[in-house]
Each structure stands twice: as structure tokens, then as C-alpha cells.
Amino acid sequence: MTEDVHDIRLRVNGIQHTARVPARRLLSDCLRHDLGLTGTHVGCEHGVCGACTVLVDGRPVRSCLMLAVSAAQHADITTVEGLAAADGTPHPVQQAFAECHALQCGFCTPGFLTLVAAYLRDNPDPGEDDAREAVTGNLCRCTGYQNIVAAVLRAAEITRGQDGVPRARPPAEEGRVPEAGGGRP
Amino acid sequence: MKPPPFAYHAPTDLDEAVGLLAEAGDEGKVLAGGQSLIPLLNMRLAAPRVLVDINAVAGLEDIRVDAAGVRVGARVRHAELEADTAAAEAVPLLGQGLRLVAHPVIRNRGTTVGSIAHADPSAEMPAVLALLEGAVEVRGRAGTRTVPAAEFVTGPMETALAPGEIAVAARFPRPRPGTGTAFVETARRNGDYALCGAAAAVTLGADGRITAARCCLISVAPVPLVVDLTDHLAGRTARLGDLDGAAAAAAEQADPEDDIHAGADYRRHLARVLTARALARAAAAAPAAVADTYTGASR
Ligand SMILES: Cc1cc2nc3c(=O)[nH]c(=O)nc-3n(C[C@H](O)[C@H](O)[C@H](O)COP(=O)(O)OP(=O)(O)OC[C@H]3O[C@@H](n4cnc5c(N)ncnc54)[C@H](O)[C@@H]3O)c2cc1C
Ligand code: FES
Ligand code: FES
């Protein structure tokens, strides 16, 4: 049959894109092929590995299980390229993954970074069991997960501004005294 | 591993959606959360000519909680329903089942009604609907009909939905007063489909003894297997020893198959063990007011 082609508008990492895609284009392929955002990786294409995880309206989803045309119904998509600050400062989760050696080949990493960024936004103070549970849906063939779990905990620490590492804050909050009691017991 | 070509429609009106689907007949498919359909397309196990995306259809987005129970619209994601405290309070088995469905990331997109319409014999939510004796509201060109859970799932991935029909909502009734529920399962890895799972509903009388008990098993039969165990358990307490006979009776009705994940014998073993566990937890979860008046042997 002839391809059913659609003109779509997608807002990715704050930037409005347009693309002409066949109906069957997966969001993962649209990001990579049509928009050139190859940070999103594709492993299994049936929802099992998590390498393709992106945030749609802030929530982690599998981009290999979403059509680009359906994604255009949503306001906002964040890929791994959108995690760092505009000046290139890594997101706390990126910093923690580097510090804790939570990657080897790096193939799974974009999926973990987007997943964990959303997880820590909603659960800023996880314990080790919570951290382990949070990443069970994503597969990594290299690390054995220990350092990934450590990185989740470290990212939470960085975000809370412990260890003398400043917490990334919006300008309005600059200079405010960090709230007491934010630390883990 | 890419979908075959299809024509895509994203109507905003239910009648339009039904019209498009009816026109496509056998070759049309509803696209809800896509968490089962898109893997099937990617693996080329399905090749519909027309997809009708219902994610923009108005009127399918609500969770309604009332005296009868919880009505879940076709666009409601597993994660949304899981987070709804009023729904959880009215029908605790919803949350008990939902937390076992895949991973949170899949639940962010997959819909509860879509899971029921997909009718995987290993899926939790068709079992929740079946155990509670709920129903599915179905809309076609001829109008709306209500299909009881027992008639909805007709086989593995087969339902009473005719070509051109959309499941618009699922209705989960509140359990009877004095009833506790539980859902337990065993999977190879966290988030996987269960090798076997058991949901149970146990009703206790004022004396703390069982007045009614039912279970529903998944992954061991072509459809969610509901077994009424009241004859085995009425008048008894919910001590584990007392539950063994009933659990064995339930497992006897299972008809599991060997596959790469587990053998039939192991699944039958799981059916027995998990049924006993689900019954015990369901009884323990029965409302405290009833437990307080209980004076018999300890549970
Ligand atoms: C890695 C992974 C693990 C999973 N693990 C589990 C698990 O452990 N347990 C479990 O239960 N599920 C599991 N799922 C499946 C998940 O729960 C799906 O969300 C669900 O099965 C289908 O819902 P959906 O909204 O995504 O439907 P879709 O994928 O959009 O549709 C599935 C099917 O149902 C039909 N359909 C959907 N909605 C309607 C409707 N309203 N009316 C008529 N037809 C409709 C579609 O046409 C299609 O045939 C898993 C999925 C993945 C990818
Ligand atoms: S590529 Fe999407 S989950 Fe594996
Ligand atoms: S670092 Fe290689 S797969 Fe995770």
C-alpha cells in the first residue's frame, strides 16, 4: 500500500520542529533520523530494554512504542540531549553517572539518564532499595547495575546540594539558604 | 523491526472514531497506549491496514468513582488509575493488580481498558475485572452495549468485541462488605508477565469466618480462570492450613502449557501455592470492623 504521510510538529528539548513522516514512523526513529537527535538509542524495539526512554510531558515512556504522529499530540518531549543546562553544565544525573562509573559502553545510558531524571524529580530522597527498584525496567549488559544504583543515590545527593556540590537552581532561588532536613538520615 | 504501512486517523469524536473503524472492518485496529499493539506491529505479528488512534477522543478520559464502583474510561493510563486514591479506596484490587503490570514506564502509556481489550491470558487487569464480575461498555455503530466480564474475554487475545467496536470503559464493582482482596504472582524478572498469578476475594462474616471466597488465576488457562471456592471454605477460618484444600482445588482447574519460560507442572505448582497465599492475604485485608468482632481461632 502507499505510505500515509503526515506533517507533524514536535517540541523537543524546548525547540519546535516540523517533520514529514509516514504514519508508521516510530518516535524513536523520528528523533534519530528526521530530527538528527541520535542520543536516543534503539535496542530491542519492543519495549523491553529501555534504551529508547524519553520524557513525554515530563513522564518517561518508550519512544519505540509510540508513533511520531501520536507524539505530536503532546506538548513537550525531552531527550537525553535536553538534560544538561543551556550552558552545557551536566544534569546532576549525568554528573553522578560519570562520577560513579555507571556506564561502560554507554549504549543503555540515555535511557537510564532520562528515566532517573524523572524518577528523582518525583522521588528526591530514595533509599538503596528504591533506587534499585526504579531502574529495574531498563537493561544494561555491561555494568552489573551496582554503579547505576550508586549513581541514582549520588544524583539525589547532588540535587539536594550535599557534599559541597552546589545544587542546580533556577535564578530566582539563587542565594537562598538550602532548606534544613533535606538530607537522608 | 519496523511497523508495516497503515493509514492513521486520530479523531476527536467518538462517533467519528467508530465510523472510521467500522469502515475499515476486519482491517482496522484501535490504537490506545500502544504498549501491546506497537510491539506486535514492530515484530510484524499484526498488519492492520487502518489504525484509529483514540488518544484524542473526547469523553474517554475519566475515572468515575460512585456507590457502584469505579468506571475507567478507555484513555485512562494504568499509572493514572494507580495514582487515583478514591478509586483505590473503593476497589483496592485495582491497585493490587496495577502495581504488577509491567514497569512504571510502560504503565505511563498503557491503558487499563486497552489491556482488557488485548486479553492476554497473562495480563492482570482482565483478571481483576473477571474476579470482581465487572463489565465492559462497548460502542459500535449500532449503539452502546454492556458486556459482562465473564463474556468479554473469549480466548487468548480474543474478545467479544466485533470489528468496528470500541471498548469505551470498564466498570469495576466495589467488593461486597466484609471482603478483602489480594493479587500475588511469580515472574522471572520484576515487571515481566507472570508465570502464574492469583487474585483472590474473601468475604468474612461477623464471626470472622469465611462466607464467600473466589480466586482468579492468570497464565494457566486460555482466559482468566475464575474459581468459586465458597463450597470449600464457607464456615472456615483463613489459616493457611485451612486454605490448602481450596488452593489445590483451584489449581486442579488450571490447564497450563509448557513454554520457554516454565513447564506446565511448575505452573500448576505455582497455581496452588499462589492461590493459598492470595486467599490468606485477602482474608487478612478484610475490613477491620469485621476482624474486631472476630472471636474464633486466630487467623
Ligand atoms: C515490556 C512490557 C511488559 C509488559 N508487561 C505486562 C504485564 O506484566 N502485565 C500486563 O498486563 N501487561 C503488560 N504489558 C502490556 C501493557 O499492559 C499494555 O499497556 C496493555 O496490554 C495494552 O494496553 P494499551 O493501551 O497499550 O493498548 P494497545 O497496545 O494500544 O492495544 C492493544 C490491543 O487492544 C486493542 N484495543 C486497545 N484499546 C482498545 C479499545 N478501547 N477498544 C477496542 N480495542 C482496543 C488494540 O486494537 C490492540 O489490539 C507489557 C508491555 C510491555 C511493552
Ligand atoms: S528500544 Fe525501546 S525499549 Fe528497547
Ligand atoms: S553500559 Fe553497556 S549496556 Fe549499559
Side-chain angles (χ1 to χ4, degrees):
Chain A
M1 77 181 272
T2 51
E3 287 282 10
D4 177 24
V5 175
H6 295 253
D7 287 307
I8 59 166
R9 292 160 62 79
L10 280 182
R11 201 177 143 81
V12 184
N13 303 328
I15 297 167
Q16 193 73 51
H17 295 268
T18 56
R20 166 163 287 212
V21 296
R24 60 170 161 156
R25 177 81 87 238
L26 300 172
L27 175 60
S28 45
D29 289 338
C30 177
L31 292 168
R32 292 175 55 82
H33 303 182
D34 298 296
L35 307 186
L37 295 167
T38 53
T40 299
H41 288 176
V42 170
C44 65
E45 286 188 329
H46 57 273
V48 174
C49 75
C52 67
T53 306
V54 301
L55 308 183
V56 173
D57 292 339
R59 275 183 223 103
V61 302
R62 305 288 204 233
S63 61
C64 73
L65 296 189
M66 196 166 180
L67 300 175
V69 275
S70 306
Q73 294 167 346
H74 293 270
D76 200 44
I77 292 162
T78 305
T79 66
V80 68
E81 289 94 339
L83 290 183
D87 67 358
T89 307
H91 187 282
V93 178
Q94 291 171 311
Q95 185 187 329
F97 267 62
E99 279 179 21
C100 299
H101 304 286
L103 60 146
Q104 288 177 30
C105 78
F107 193 85
C108 66
T109 311
F112 276 98
L113 293 175
T114 46
L115 174 77
V116 174
Y119 175 76
L120 290 178
R121 179 199 59 211
D122 300 338
N123 306 274
D125 193 18
E128 186 178 333
D129 288 348
D130 306 321
R132 194 172 295 281
E133 172 90 27
V135 297
T136 51
N138 284 38
L139 301 182
C140 172
R141 306 202 71 178
C142 301
T143 62
Y145 301 101
Q146 305 299 340
N147 289 354
I148 293 179
V149 172
V152 176
L153 298 172
R154 174 70 186 129
E157 236 171 48
I158 296 170
T159 312
R160 286 193 305 265
Q162 289 183 352
D163 290 10
V165 182
R167 181 175 138 222
R169 269 179 283 169
E173 275 185 66
E174 218 47 90
R176 256 214 235 155
V177 184
E179 278 161 50
R184 239 161 351 110
Chain B
M1 299 292 274
K2 310 288 178 196
F6 49 76
Y8 171 88
H9 303 281
T12 52
D13 175 79
L14 184 56
D15 287 330
E16 193 190 342
V18 166
L20 287 163
L21 205 59
E23 232 166 76
D26 273 349
E27 309 214 61
K29 275 238 170 259
V30 171
L31 173 66
Q35 303 301 290
S36 293
L37 182 54
I38 297 186
L40 291 177
L41 295 174
N42 287 356
M43 293 188 269
R44 303 269 173 135
L45 294 171
R49 205 172 45 79
V50 177
L51 280 195
V52 179
D53 183 341
I54 58 167
N55 287 287
V57 173
L60 303 182
E61 62 275 35
D62 292 333
I63 302 172
R64 250 184 267 153
V65 181
D66 60 21
V70 180
R71 181 186 182 275
V72 180
R75 277 173 54 190
V76 175
R77 316 276 172 206
H78 293 308
E80 261 175 87
L81 183 56
E82 199 182 356
D84 192 300
T85 47
E89 203 169 300
V91 182
L93 187 58
L94 284 174
Q96 291 161 352
L98 284 164
R99 72 183 171 79
L100 299 172
V101 176
H103 306 287
V105 177
I106 307 291
R107 300 203 289 271
N108 277 343
R109 191 78 200 146
T111 66
T112 299
V113 172
S115 168
I116 291 164
H118 187 57
D120 190 308
S122 299
E124 289 82 4
M125 299 318 285
V128 167
L129 192 79
L131 185 68
L132 296 173
E133 300 182 285
V136 181
E137 286 173 33
V138 175
R139 177 78 156 256
R141 263 191 172 156
T144 305
R145 62 190 181 110
T146 301
V147 184
E151 290 160 33
F152 187 77
V153 180
T154 54
M157 299 185 180
E158 282 165 29
T159 66
L161 286 170
E165 284 187 324
I166 295 179
V168 291
R171 287 201 227 133
F172 299 90
R174 286 178 193 260
R176 270 187 286 166
T179 302
T181 56
F183 206 139
V184 294
E185 69 177 38
T186 298
R188 296 204 40 122
R189 290 166 305 198
N190 184 322
D192 277 8
Y193 276 109
L195 297 175
C196 178
V202 175
T203 310
L204 301 183
D207 62 356
R209 289 178 183 272
I210 295 171
T211 58
R214 288 150 49 81
C215 73
C216 182
L217 293 167
I218 59 172
S219 297
V220 292
V223 300
L225 180 67
V226 178
V227 185
D228 195 322
L229 299 168
T230 305
D231 284 350
H232 292 272
L233 291 173
R236 289 177 173 245
T237 62
R239 281 176 307 190
L240 261 176
D242 284 355
L243 302 172
D244 285 349
E252 221 158 83
Q253 304 213 12
D255 184 19
E257 287 175 8
D258 288 316
D259 69 13
I260 54 165
H261 303 297
D265 287 348
Y266 180 56
R267 284 180 202 264
R268 204 170 290 113
H269 166 78
L270 285 178
R272 185 172 54 75
V273 173
L274 293 174
T275 301
R277 232 175 255 174
L279 288 168
R281 284 203 199 166
V290 176
D292 284 345
T293 60
Y294 173 61
T295 51
S298 71
R299 300 194 249 131

